[in-house]
Amino acid sequence: MSYVRLDKVTKRYREIYAARNISLAIEKGEFFCLVGPSGSGKTTMLRLIAGFVRPTAGRVYIDGRRIDDQPPYKRDVGIVFQNYALFPHMSVRDNVAFGLRVRNLDRVAIDQRIEEMLDLVQLRGFEDRRPDELSGGQQQRVALVRALVTRPRVLLLDEPLGALDKKLRTQMQVELKQIQREVGITTIFVTHDQEEALSLSDRVGVIDKGVLVQLGSPTEVYERPTNHFVANFIGQSNFFKGEITDLGDEGVVVTTPSGAVLRGSARSGLSLGQQVTLAVRPEKVRLTTGDVEAHNRLEGTVVHVTYLGNSTSYVIDSGDGGTVVALQQNLLAGGAYPAGTEVVVTWSKESCFVVAANPARVPQPRQGSE
Amino acid sequence: MSYVRLDKVTKRYREIYAARNISLAIEKGEFFCLVGPSGSGKTTMLRLIAGFVRPTAGRVYIDGRRIDDQPPYKRDVGIVFQNYALFPHMSVRDNVAFGLRVRNLDRVAIDQRIEEMLDLVQLRGFEDRRPDELSGGQQQRVALVRALVTRPRVLLLDEPLGALDKKLRTQMQVELKQIQREVGITTIFVTHDQEEALSLSDRVGVIDKGVLVQLGSPTEVYERPTNHFVANFIGQSNFFKGEITDLGDEGVVVTTPSGAVLRGSARSGLSLGQQVTLAVRPEKVRLTTGDVEAHNRLEGTVVHVTYLGNSTSYVIDSGDGGTVVALQQNLLAGGAYPAGTEVVVTWSKESCFVVAANPARVPQPRQGSE
Amino acid sequence: MKNRIGPLLTYIYLLAFLVFLYAPVLAMMAMSFNRSPLYALPIQLDLRWFRALMNNKRLIQATGNSIVLALANMATATVIGTSASLALARYQFKAKKVLSVLLVPPIAIPWLILAVSMLLFFQLLGLGRSLSSMYVAHVAVSLPYAILVITARLAGSDSSLEEAAMSLGANPVITFLRITFPLMLPGVLAAALFSFTVSFDNFAISYFLAPPGVSTLPVEIYSAIRKGFTPEINAIATITFAVSMIMVLMADRLVRFD
Amino acid sequence: MKNRIGPLLTYIYLLAFLVFLYAPVLAMMAMSFNRSPLYALPIQLDLRWFRALMNNKRLIQATGNSIVLALANMATATVIGTSASLALARYQFKAKKVLSVLLVPPIAIPWLILAVSMLLFFQLLGLGRSLSSMYVAHVAVSLPYAILVITARLAGSDSSLEEAAMSLGANPVITFLRITFPLMLPGVLAAALFSFTVSFDNFAISYFLAPPGVSTLPVEIYSAIRKGFTPEINAIATITFAVSMIMVLMADRLVRFD
């Protein structure tokens, strides 16, 4: 049975839908990420579960019991806010103890539990500090243990790493995941950072304009995005528009307006002659200078080389006005192909998927990707 | 001749050094990045060049002329602030025209130049909007053209992308670099995002606590960091401490306390018997299950697998308490080695470098990396 | 979460408070238009009390004095207040903290006490009661308001705007004229309106410091009430109230918006 | 960038202004300790005027009235002001914008006009001059100050703190007692101090609304001056000034810090 369940939840503010008929089931102990651009409604989802807003329609269940009519303080749901929301007039100890004292636990039990939790996040010795005497990373950890100390049924995290700088953010991701595993709590994490979502979560829900557009494991969402928005928001993609000229068990053949013949994996609902968009990820594209056999093969010239440290990104002009972006891991020092090199670009049909059938309007991405 | 030159510049606020004896030469047309953690003094460097603060000691030159005694309005240096600092009481047109009108150019020339510049950043049609009617990305572009429109000698960018969300940030990086190339202006860019620094710049200066700790091309800084801080701040590294047991033209041999024998490339100033730290980047580490020949070879068990979309990160327990992080590009769908797999970890001695000789204290990184 | 009763109660309750605060003023205004000098109801609209005002030379003279004094005070307090606020916002000097703390309390010194001390002070200096004493005292009373209002506006502005202007080639004068001043202008206008109101409404200082034969509007109102409450007072009070309200609402709007 | 003259000029200039503002008050205080009733210099320290105050039954009576009135007003204005501010900050209702705009101007209605209209109003209501009229009018005058001060404090607080407390299991009462109230407390204390001061210093309302035989300290000071300026007035003004200053500085500190 699913542990947290949203059943056709809609939240409307006047004419604007922050959530539109969303159904979602999250398993016990799962680390679930909601990803979407700013304003997509992902924070509203958290607030619906926490009880700070009530759904216009639909129901919310935790552990089989309906909770959308309960006030927040009866829901037993922990939350970490983006700004941490630490109580500024209380010490670290009092912040963490707050949830326990409200429950009237005895003093000894409270003290012991606080020690345990502060050990978990390596904040022993900071008990008497005020929140404003802590660094950003320390504040983040206090907010986390304050939410965890009461052993809530669900932990909600609202972009908890958004205020940290990049290096610290990466470090806190590792810590957060580790703590979640140790505690084993069902967690719902909201972020606009797709890489963070992929690396942390068991499952990812992609949300756009209040609609849940795709749901699946990080691999499913990244490797098989079901539409153009997801293919573009979760990672980068190269897009090719064309007409289906062959369709069979081995896959789909698409011919572009410039005459290139591309092969991709099939999916249901396609028919011969249909206009579709194929996508392939930059890291699935291989660059060579020699002659190679492959399902998909384009020739072109390297026009831009971007060194990224652990990898190098190439923009290849494929001659007919189109460009392809290819990413190569720097197994040795980077930049094997300088700008101007004639290269052969290949990728397998398994890496190539249809993201849009009969699209009304596919925005032309800059440099073949965005 | 260098175009922008800092000569032994020091800036002290009471007891705190924001810049300590920094010498730096930037070529004409170069895109130079200053990277460092928050509070490292990188913004102070920009403000010294712009003229908003004056050095406690040392001199600043642009195009061979000393400028550190000139007021900001005589320096002819464009700057883009992190908060953009658009004039809220002026339209986009008036913001962009400000620098030209101050110079008393004639109306026709101003209008033409503004049109040109707004074309460059695709903001035609937004001339009459107020800054608060623009999105973050649009504001960023207005700030950029406002700084460029007077054709300043140097363009300073103070974390101009810091306020944007991740997806937009990546997109603006591409635009920014393209515009800088088209305009050909000498640019100094400040960021705490090491990946941004590597991908955008011709050269990178790494700054820590007011000291310029390394200076070089992105490749040099990333592939050959000269100390532990840089190896850790610019990208990830695996660190191994040990004693030099052999030293020759072919490189250096280091034996770890647990008896592993590692080979790295040599550098000057090393001697037999010395305690050193070797580093290798995760993406340079190869994972296999079969038997392979390599300069460096460890056996271990995969303990954590993190799917990152375009790559997968593995944490391998190498048996003696140490861990190694390996990054593998997802050429096919990710995650070739599930947790628990016995693997062989190899890397070449060319990818392995000495970052610290006799370190006073090397912080023990979590999971062998940070 | 919350039931609907909370907002409703609040609503009723605030409404009651506002009715209570505004009702006397509205009653007074209504009576100023009432024909009957005995406040007989129903109200018979008549402008007789306003006409009576027109013929009251003494009152018109006093009103003229009040306006001239308020304008002189406004000009002085605004100019000095603007430059003082800028100095406080821009320069860092050691005594700054002390100065800015000392600026607040004068607002809270009871005007009566201030008037008493000013009277004593001008007598000690040998200036005694005079128009210039009045002017100086009014400026002293208004200036802290002016500085507070402008400083509040400046606190919201961002020094990076001025830095941006300078990096674009604007010298300090142009930067001030094109960036700093336009951005602080609403605060300056609000300060001007407040200074005018503070001076125009002041009773105690004018009363104590006015030389013989010189009177101001509040002093006249006060004297008139002592002599006997006539509907004429309602008329002049209505005008004063309307002018004060318009000025303050304008000032409030300027400080909050734009 | 800037030369050193700017700050120096500013410094001198602000100093001059403060001297000018405080000098009369300081002179008055000095004279209250001077033996000579004719302000003869040099000052001979003597507490005779303060001793004279002690024996002035009328003045002590009036001071007692002022304190009682100020305390009653403080309690009422603070409680009502706190709940009104909370309601304004927490609930969204349609008339809210109108209400919050209407709250500002009463601060700027000249007290004299307000006193005139209150007198008229209470007479129309048949209440006339009475202690309860005085009390009600004082509350009406202080309440807008109290609301403004508390609202300013609440604006700086963050509703996510209360949400965090509720998610930790605190019901609305506990959330209010442990989070909301402690955080707004400095604002509440400041409002109390301001309310006390506003009432304690008020002359016009007390003068018009006081029933026969009842007087307050400002009214007494005013009457005393009309009768003839004696150093006794300096003494009582000095005490009033000192009390007002201490309260306002405390309030200012509470609002700014912590």
Side-chain angles (χ1 to χ4, degrees), chain A residues 181 199, chain B residues 302-307 312-315 335-339:
Chain A
R181 267 209 208 95
S199 67
Chain B
V302 173
V303 287
H304 280 302
V305 183
T306 309
Y307 177 75
T312 304
S313 168
Y314 298 90
V315 179
Y337 306 103

Side-chain angles (χ1 to χ4, degrees), chain A residues 23-37:
Chain A
S23 291
L24 180 61
I26 295 162
E27 301 304 313
K28 188 156 190 165
E30 193 175 358
F31 197 117
F32 185 86
C33 272
L34 273 171
V35 219

Side-chain angles (χ1 to χ4, degrees), chain A residues 228-249:
Chain A
H228 195 280
F229 171 80
V230 178
N232 216 0
F233 187 76
I234 309 288
Q236 279 188 290
S237 291
N238 291 296
F239 295 107
F240 304 93
K241 284 171 75 173
E243 186 186 319
I244 297 183
T245 47
D246 194 10
L247 188 63
D249 288 348

Side-chain angles (χ1 to χ4, degrees), chain A residues 366, chain B residues 84 86 91-96 113-131 133-147 172 175 179:
Chain A
R366 231 184 147 90
Chain B
Y84 314 138
L86 296 178
S91 66
V92 167
R93 177 186 287 110
D94 292 342
N95 264 281
V96 177
R113 181 90 182 119
I114 292 174
E115 277 185 23
E116 257 175 62
M117 292 306 286
L118 290 180
D119 270 338
L120 185 68
V121 293
Q122 299 161 29
L123 276 176
R124 285 293 290 280
F126 291 83
E127 290 88 342
D128 295 320
R129 298 249 188 121
R130 293 272 169 144
E133 296 166 341
L134 300 177
S135 72
Q138 288 166 340
Q139 288 183 27
Q140 205 276 333
R141 280 183 250 164
V142 174
L144 183 62
V145 297
R146 186 182 64 177
M172 292 301 297
E175 274 191 35
I179 291 168

Side-chain angles (χ1 to χ4, degrees), chain A residues 122 166-167 178 181 198-199 222-223 232 235 283-284 304 307-310 327 329-331 366, chain B residues 122 167 178 181 193 198-199 222-223 232 235 283-284 304 307-310 327 329-331 366:
Chain A
Q122 299 162 27
K166 181 146 181 156
K167 196 79 199 176
Q178 227 168 28
R181 267 209 208 95
L198 293 177
S199 67
Y222 185 84
E223 305 289 345
N232 216 0
E283 78 277 7
K284 307 271 195 278
H304 281 303
Y307 177 75
L308 301 168
N310 60 22
L327 190 76
Q329 182 167 355
N330 293 335
L331 286 166
R366 231 184 147 90
Chain B
Q122 299 161 29
K167 197 79 198 174
Q178 228 168 27
R181 268 208 207 94
D193 183 337
L198 293 178
S199 68
Y222 185 84
E223 306 288 346
N232 217 1
E283 77 278 6
K284 306 270 195 277
H304 280 302
Y307 177 75
L308 300 167
N310 60 23
L327 190 76
Q329 181 168 354
N330 293 336
L331 285 165
R366 231 183 148 93

Side-chain angles (χ1 to χ4, degrees), chain C residues 10 13 20 22 80 87 102 136, chain D residues 10 13 20 22 80 87 102 136:
Chain C
T10 310
Y13 159 86
F20 163 67
Y22 281 94
I80 301 187
L102 284 173
V136 166
Chain D
T10 310
Y13 159 86
F20 163 67
Y22 281 93
I80 301 185
L102 284 173
V136 166

